[in-house]
Structures are given as C-alpha cells and as structure tokens.
Amino acid sequence: MLKQHKDLLRTLVADLRHTLDGAYDEAAPDGRTRIRGDLDRELERIGIAPDGSITPLDALPNRTPHDERAHRVAAAQLAAALKEERAALRSAQGQAVRAEIVERAAYTWINRLLALRAMEARGLIEETLRANPAYEGVSEALYLLRFEQPQRTAGPDGGWRAVIEDACAAQAKALPGLFDLDDPNAALRPSTPALLRCVQAVGRPELDDVLADPDALGWAYQFYQEEAKARIDAKVKNGGKVETRSEIAAKTQLFTEPYMVKWLLQNSLGRSYAEAYPDSALPQTWEYYIDREKVLAEQDGDGEADQAETERRPLFTLDELTFMDPCAGSGHFLREAFDMLFAMYRERHPQMDARAAAGRILSHHLHGVDIDPRAVQLSAITLLLRAWETAGDGRGLDGFPPPALNLAAAPARLDAGGMERHLQRYPEDEVYRPILQGVFAALEQAPILGSLIKPEEHLDAAIQEFRQARRGGQTSLLAEDETANRLLAELARHDPAELKRLLLERVARSFGREARESDVAAQLLGREAGEGVHLLQLLGRKYAVVATNPPYMGSGNMDTPLRRYVEAHYKPGKRDLYAAFILRCLELAYYGGRVAMVTQQSWMFLKSFAALRAVAEDGLAKAKQR
C-alpha cells in the first residue's frame, strides 16, 4: 500500500475509533485521562452507569425498542461476568466489563462501515456510503431510498441508518458474524450525530483507491491498535504486565508485508504442491520460490541425499493440502493461500466452475484462528472479498453465495455456571454432561490463550468418561433416533476420534439453537459457547501446511496465568510466545507436512532456547528415521 494511502487510512481509523470508542487525552499530566466516546455515553443513556450499576429498564424515559434491546444485552453481559464476583469487587469488575461492551460495539460498527466501503470501492456492491456529487452529495443508495421509501428518510439521520441496515441485511447471509443485525455486539448503536460523522468520514471519494487496495483492511486493523499498543508498551516499560485479551492483541498483532507472506507460502504450500505434481508449471510463476532440488543438484553429493529425503516424505494431493493460520489476524496469509490454491485448482481441474473451486477452497482447505474476534471478522471479509472478485463474475453474493468459513475466535470466558444454565434450558443435553464439562474446561482460559489451547487435554478424558457411561448401559443418547444411538454406541467402542467429531458437532448444534433463543442471556451464551466449540474443532485437527506470523512477547511481560500455562504446556518455548507457537505449529501439522513462520533468529543460538533447539533437532531426527 502506498504511503499516502496508509496516511489517509490511519487518519480515518483514528477518527472512527475516537468518535465511537473514545480516546486518551495526551495533554493531561498522566496521559491517562479518558475522553469518553459516543458509545460510552449511549450506554449510560440507556441505563448502564460508568461504574457498572444498572438502572431498571422500566425507569428509563423515552426509550425506544433499540434502547430496550441494548439495555437487555448489556445487563445480561454484566450479570454473566459478575455472577461469581464478590460484592466488593463488582464496581471495578463492572467498569471493566462495561468498557469491553463499548469496545466490542465500537469495533463491530467500524468493521461494518469499513467492510461496506471496501466492497463498494472494489465494485462488489452498489454504491452505499460514498458521497457522490451526482446525487446531491449523498450515496446512490440513499438518494434512491429518498424517492422510493421517503418515510424511512424522514428522521434526524436523514435515512443513513436505514441505508446501513439494508446493506447489512443484504450481506448477512455470507457474513452473519459481521453483518447480522441481531448481533448482540452491535445492539449498542451510535447516536445520530456520531453516525453521521462516521458516514461522512468513510464516504469521502478520495478514499476510493485506498479502500480498493487488497491490504486496506489489514492495515486498518493495525492502525486501530496503534494507540492501544503505545499505552501497553508504556505500561510494560513501567513494570506492568500484559493481562487481557485486548492488551495481548494490541501488543502482539503486526501486519505482515506481502513479500514475507509470499515467500513463506510459496516455499511451504507451494512446495508441497510441486512435490505432489512435478509436472506443474505454477512454480515458474512464484517469484520467491526456491527450487531446492535444482540448487542442491549443483552441490556435490547433496542432491542425492535430498532426493532420498523427498521420497520418504508423504505427498499430499491437492485435496489433502489443508492450510491453517493459528494467528490469522486480518487474514493476510489466508488470502494469499486462497490465490495459490485457486491457481492449483485451475491447473489440475480446468473444467471446474470457478465458483465451485472457490467454494471448495473456503470450505475445505482454509482454516484460521485468532485470539481477537475483531480480527476474525476482518479475516472473513478479506477472504470473501477475494473469493467474490475471483469467482463471483462481479455479481457479489448473486454470483457466489459462499459456504461457511473455517474461522474461529477465542470466545469470552465461559465458566461452569454457563454450562449449568444451558442444561437447565436444555435438560435433554444432560447425557452430554461429560462432553460439556470438557468443552467448558478447555475454554476457561481461551481469551488469553487462543491457539495455544490443547483441546485433547480436556476432551479426550471427557470422551473416555462418555464411552464408559455408554458401556454402563445408561439411558440412550437420542430417544428420537435409534439409528443414531446405535452408531454412537458403535463408535464409543471402536472409533473414539470419530465419536469426538460427531459429539462436538452435536454440542455445537445445540449451542447454535440456544443462540437463536429470544432470551438475551441464552443468545449470548449460545453464541460464545458455539464459537468456542468451533475453536476446539479447528485446534483438534492436523493440517498439511501451517503458516503464520506469531505473537512476540517475552515471558517477563506475560501476566501470571498466561506465563504459567506456557511454562506447563510449552516448557521448551517458555521464554517467548513466538517460541511457544513454534511448538504449537509443529503439533498442528501432519507428519510430512510443513510449518512456515516468521520468527526471531534468537532461538537458533541463545542459551535460553537450548531446550527448544533440542526438541526441533529430535523431531527432525525422528522424521528422517521414518
């Protein structure tokens, strides 16, 4: 992206965040004085005070249906977070939860506006937000709405809220996580003045080229984090620790330059494809691809040894080339992997419909996880924008209705109380109690661990308990489906891995049903738990290629829970998060697969990483013996 475009985007993102989420007064003596954003004031207006206390809904004057829903959502989030807190802690904890409610709403609305504007700039949807002089300085969508449905444009917002809602509804089928109008994270809405300011900011015509850039959303995410990262760096410098999910994300998330992504993927995903299909012409198009066989053949004797190693390596067919980015960020690696895989499908299956190939890549090949939900939102839109451009024939959703994506974010903290509330609403799920206990135990520290979670640590024991219960002749699993009962009973005896897969799918469907309940508390739990199960499903698999730019944070900056987990589960990599992720990525890869990472070189020679080097050398030796 050009520097002048980055400068425009940085200013835009800062303006949006300051308007909705607030800012810190740098001129204040401590630099920590908070300037409240619009959504903070809106939250207070609907009865959620700055200290976290709640005014009863019936006591709110002049409330609207939207105010009532936002109040119920915020009250449910506070109640769930404070349920097990002592009364003396409720004020501080309530303030923290309240701040998270504001931030979630802020980044959801910012992501929506940026995504719609980027889709518009890239010609994938009709003009929605762009200020067009030909239409009296408003967008084409608003101009038409004024003529077609004037009653919807008569309010103080002039119809902009209706335009945005219509645009979100049109895209919700493809991206319910970002555009779902019933999303609890977006229940808190900007006030009319703030909405108009945001629309004016994103609608400027000079942003057309900026937001048409494929890297725009990735840079927007980094610019969104800039001020928070500066504050956290100052906190760490003064002896503080990186504690919460938002702090970890702001401290560690960095945009990976395109040449680095291309180099890593061409020599991992690309190499695996080239080994399986030596007749492929694609390597000639990869500018950073290193033909190892050619290089080694020029060296005395080394070519034969490398050839023997290649022959021992399992080859992955195109269908088997699954890809995982466990620190997906805004989806930069995933987008490049999509382009490479699409070219592979064009070469191997030239008769396949482009939309079918794109759908297959999204639903089968690409997988991504991130600690930060806002990053996963952007990963999803990044992938779909690329798919629509590649296979949609310029018709957006009409040209390419996409499949569900294999992307997951770490959910908010889930505790045993949430599981018990679920079982109270769905007593028929009592038979799955061991599985639910395993899921909730595995996700207890999800907000700070992300991809470092090891699902098998909790789920394998839960599956074993479930199998023993079935052998003990307890009540049937599915009273309405004897065929399914027999299948699960057979799997309990002979195929625990397949049993785990089916049980997690069944639990995920149950949480999906809960997410659609009218009760707000049930919706929140269903959404978070369902996202958590999806996370565990992705982390419980292995992949042909794992590639990422991992987080970098020394153990001295980690808060106690994170540091202890890393020491217990990734001891050789305990000195830094990136070292722990080297071990985690190796675990996520199949034998014979490839891991490609951006890492610091320090682990290769510093004494403090000797144990990590020993693990790597031992793994290489065992691989050669096979």
Side-chain angles (χ1 to χ4, degrees):
M1 178 178 277
L2 298 174
K3 182 181 183 302
Q4 59 266 37
H5 288 175
K6 290 181 183 178
D7 292 341
L8 283 169
L9 187 59
R10 177 184 280 111
T11 300
L12 170 65
V13 172
D15 189 13
L16 294 174
R17 182 162 191 175
H18 293 167
T19 299
L20 298 181
D21 190 31
Y24 284 90
D25 185 0
E26 303 297 337
D30 61 357
R32 299 285 298 172
T33 301
R34 182 74 174 166
I35 302 173
R36 299 172 69 191
D38 175 74
L39 291 173
D40 191 309
R41 294 189 294 271
E42 283 295 287
L43 193 57
E44 183 175 15
R45 184 184 64 79
I46 63 170
I48 313 297
D51 64 358
S53 61
I54 302 172
T55 300
L57 185 58
D58 292 343
L60 294 179
N62 304 317
R63 62 184 185 273
T64 68
H66 288 292
D67 293 341
E68 292 180 4
R69 173 163 171 74
H71 181 283
R72 291 192 180 98
V73 169
Q77 289 172 322
L78 281 161
L82 302 178
K83 191 173 184 66
E84 299 182 3
E85 295 290 335
R86 298 193 306 273
L89 297 178
R90 290 197 174 193
S91 178
Q93 182 72 359
Q95 291 177 44
V97 176
R98 188 183 184 283
E100 183 176 349
I101 293 169
V102 169
E103 188 184 14
R104 281 193 177 199
Y107 72 64
T108 298
W109 283 105
I110 291 171
N111 282 356
R112 282 181 176 181
L113 294 173
L114 290 176
L116 289 172
R117 188 69 172 90
M119 294 163 73
E120 175 185 272
R122 290 161 77 164
L124 295 171
I125 61 174
E126 298 297 330
E127 186 177 87
T128 303
L129 296 173
R130 183 181 184 272
N132 192 331
Y135 295 109
E136 302 177 1
V138 301
S139 72
E140 180 183 15
L142 180 57
Y143 186 80
L144 293 175
L145 190 66
R146 286 177 175 175
F147 284 96
E148 296 170 356
Q149 301 180 56
Q151 72 280 6
R152 299 182 68 199
T153 67
D157 61 86
W160 277 115
R161 205 178 293 276
V163 165
I164 293 170
E165 288 179 354
D166 289 349
C168 288
Q171 308 305 328
K173 181 179 178 181
L175 277 170
L178 179 57
F179 292 117
D180 181 6
L181 292 175
D182 292 327
D183 182 2
N185 292 323
L188 181 62
R189 308 192 312 172
S191 68
T192 295
L195 180 68
L196 294 177
R197 177 174 175 175
C198 291
V199 168
Q200 182 181 24
V202 300
R204 290 175 293 155
E206 61 265 32
L207 293 172
D208 288 349
D209 291 340
V210 178
L211 289 167
D213 191 301
D215 292 334
L217 294 179
W219 280 111
Y221 179 60
Q222 178 149 325
F223 295 149
Y224 183 91
Q225 299 281 32
E226 274 189 340
E227 294 177 5
K229 186 178 188 303
R231 291 194 303 273
I232 295 162
D233 286 342
K235 175 183 176 181
V236 168
K237 186 177 181 180
N238 291 324
K241 303 295 182 183
V242 182
E243 300 172 282
T244 64
R245 165 167 54 188
S246 60
E247 288 186 343
I248 294 172
K251 173 68 175 171
T252 62
Q253 294 278 13
L254 290 173
F255 183 84
T256 312
E257 291 289 353
Y259 77 91
M260 299 170 71
V261 176
K262 290 177 182 291
W263 194 97
L264 288 170
L265 292 189
Q266 288 172 13
N267 291 286
S268 56
L269 180 63
R271 186 176 303 284
S272 295
Y273 177 80
E275 286 177 352
Y277 304 100
D279 62 334
S280 172
L282 290 179
Q284 300 172 21
T285 69
W286 299 330
E287 58 186 316
Y288 298 104
Y289 183 69
I290 299 172
D291 189 337
R292 290 176 56 197
E293 288 68 31
K294 182 178 179 181
V295 171
L296 291 172
E298 298 172 356
Q299 302 175 6
D300 294 338
D302 287 344
E304 294 180 4
D306 186 74
Q307 179 64 29
E309 180 180 342
T310 300
E311 290 174 356
R312 287 196 299 269
R313 174 186 292 276
L315 298 181
F316 295 90
T317 66
L318 175 55
D319 193 59
E320 295 168 333
L321 274 181
T322 52
F323 175 85
M324 161 61 86
D325 183 348
C327 315
S330 55
H332 203 173
F333 280 84
L334 290 164
R335 190 190 75 212
E336 182 65 26
F338 175 90
D339 285 349
M340 293 182 68
L341 286 162
F342 191 80
M344 294 171 190
Y345 267 89
R346 296 284 84 188
E347 182 176 68
R348 301 256 68 89
H349 304 289
Q351 304 306 317
M352 180 180 284
D353 181 77
R355 289 170 292 184
R360 177 67 175 166
I361 292 167
L362 293 179
S363 64
H364 174 69
H365 290 274
L366 298 181
H367 307 77
V369 168
D370 200 89
I371 196 172
D372 190 350
R374 83 199 84 179
V376 173
Q377 286 181 345
L378 291 176
S379 286
I381 189 63
T382 294
L383 275 181
L384 287 179
L385 285 176
R386 189 61 187 140
W388 288 340
E389 288 176 327
T390 304
D393 301 325
R395 291 180 287 145
L397 277 177
D398 293 334
F400 175 53
L405 302 178
N406 296 306
L407 302 175
R413 183 177 180 271
L414 297 168
D415 56 30
M419 184 189 76
E420 295 300 334
R421 292 192 293 275
H422 172 81
L423 289 174
Q424 288 174 7
R425 280 188 285 265
Y426 299 96
E428 65 273 21
D429 282 357
E430 180 65 36
V431 69
Y432 300 114
R433 178 178 283 273
I435 311 302
L436 291 169
Q437 288 174 330
V439 166
F440 276 76
L443 295 173
E444 186 174 2
Q445 292 183 285
I448 61 169
L449 297 179
S451 296
L452 293 178
I453 293 172
K454 296 190 175 187
E456 67 277 3
E457 182 178 63
H458 300 281
L459 292 180
D460 287 355
I463 294 293
Q464 182 61 24
E465 182 179 346
F466 184 87
R467 294 172 70 198
Q468 290 172 349
R470 303 283 66 74
R471 285 196 292 266
Q474 293 186 11
T475 57
S476 64
L477 301 177
L478 306 167
E480 77 284 1
D481 193 338
E482 285 303 320
T483 301
N485 282 333
R486 288 192 296 271
L487 172 62
L488 292 178
E490 187 69 16
L491 291 174
R493 288 192 293 272
H494 302 298
D495 194 346
E498 180 64 9
L499 177 67
K500 180 196 294 188
R501 186 187 70 80
L502 290 176
L503 288 174
L504 284 178
E505 284 185 358
R506 188 159 185 83
V507 169
R509 287 198 299 271
S510 182
F511 284 128
R513 179 177 50 168
E514 189 166 21
R516 297 187 293 273
E517 291 280 358
S518 58
D519 179 75
V520 171
Q523 284 183 21
L524 292 170
L525 176 62
R527 285 173 180 260
E528 293 291 345
E531 184 74 7
V533 173
H534 191 200
L535 176 74
L536 298 180
Q537 289 172 316
L538 295 181
L539 295 178
R541 303 173 187 171
K542 288 187 179 292
Y543 302 90
V545 178
V546 181
T548 195
N549 187 354
Y552 304 90
M553 186 165 65
S555 58
N557 295 335
M558 299 179 196
D559 197 26
T560 301
L562 176 59
R563 189 186 72 251
R564 287 179 176 173
Y565 188 92
V566 170
E567 289 175 349
H569 295 84
Y570 302 96
K571 190 173 182 179
K574 67 181 181 179
R575 295 296 180 185
D576 197 288
L577 272 184
Y578 86 82
F581 268 95
I582 290 177
L583 298 172
R584 186 66 180 115
C585 289
L586 290 171
E587 292 174 347
L588 288 169
Y590 282 119
Y591 162 67
R594 283 189 162 88
V595 172
M597 301 176 66
V598 181
T599 69
Q600 296 177 359
Q601 69 271 32
S602 55
W603 76 274
M604 299 181 185
F605 55 84
L606 289 183
K607 183 179 180 180
S608 56
F609 292 99
L612 179 61
R613 291 196 294 275
V615 170
E617 290 170 2
D618 181 61
L620 181 61
K622 289 180 179 178
K624 287 183 175 181
Q625 290 172 6
R626 296 179 189 179

